[in-house]
Amino acid sequence: MSSPVRFEMDRRAFGVVNFPRPRGKTRMPMEPLTKALQSTLGVRIQAKRKWLFGRKHHSFLFMGEQVQICLLENGDATFDLGLVDDEIRETLLEHLRTSLEFEGR
């Protein structure tokens, strides 16, 4: 089993979950994050390009809500749960906290 994916709640922004990049990496690798999310939440991660040669944008559908995974300029990955329903947000965060695939702070 690979090491768990670290996540932390952003204290400055309500509902924002950050996935800091591993030490020694310039950006968060999407493969471990997508595998962990798919196995923990039972969702399918979609990667689409908005433009022909643009970056891929990753998202998934959880309990009827579309959640967009964003790569930040500093290399971390994040998604914003501030706009989704309270029950959906708490359910998703509880899955992340109790999963062996993730390590929360």
Side-chain angles (χ1 to χ4, degrees), residues 42-97:
V43 296
R44 185 171 164 261
I45 306 292
Q46 298 175 339
K48 293 183 181 179
R49 293 188 195 278
K50 288 192 175 180
W51 303 102
L52 185 59
F53 297 107
R55 289 187 353 190
K56 286 185 179 178
H57 296 273
H58 297 80
S59 64
F60 61 93
L61 192 65
F62 185 73
M63 295 176 64
E65 291 280 344
Q66 191 77 22
V67 179
Q68 180 85 26
I69 303 170
C70 300
L71 283 174
L72 302 175
E73 294 295 322
N74 65 2
D76 295 350
T78 186
F79 55 74
D80 186 3
L81 300 175
L83 303 175
V84 300
D85 184 58
D86 292 342
E87 181 180 342
I88 296 171
R89 178 179 41 258
E90 292 305 319
T91 303
L92 193 145
L93 291 175
E94 191 61 32
H95 282 298
L96 291 181
R97 287 184 193 113

Side-chain angles (χ1 to χ4, degrees), residues 33-50:
L33 177 59
T34 57
K35 284 184 179 181
L37 286 170
Q38 287 175 350
S39 66
T40 300
L41 302 176
V43 296
R44 185 171 164 261
I45 306 292
Q46 298 175 339
K48 293 183 181 179
R49 293 188 195 278
K50 288 192 175 180

Side-chain angles (χ1 to χ4, degrees), residues 1-5 36 39-40 95-103:
M1 184 177 159
S2 63
S3 63
V5 177
S39 66
T40 300
H95 282 298
L96 291 181
R97 287 184 193 113
T98 59
S99 172
L100 297 176
E101 300 281 333
F102 291 96
E103 174 187 338

Side-chain angles (χ1 to χ4, degrees), residues 12-23:
R12 296 166 291 166
F14 175 73
V16 175
V17 181
N18 290 321
F19 300 95
R21 66 184 187 276
R23 283 198 168 93

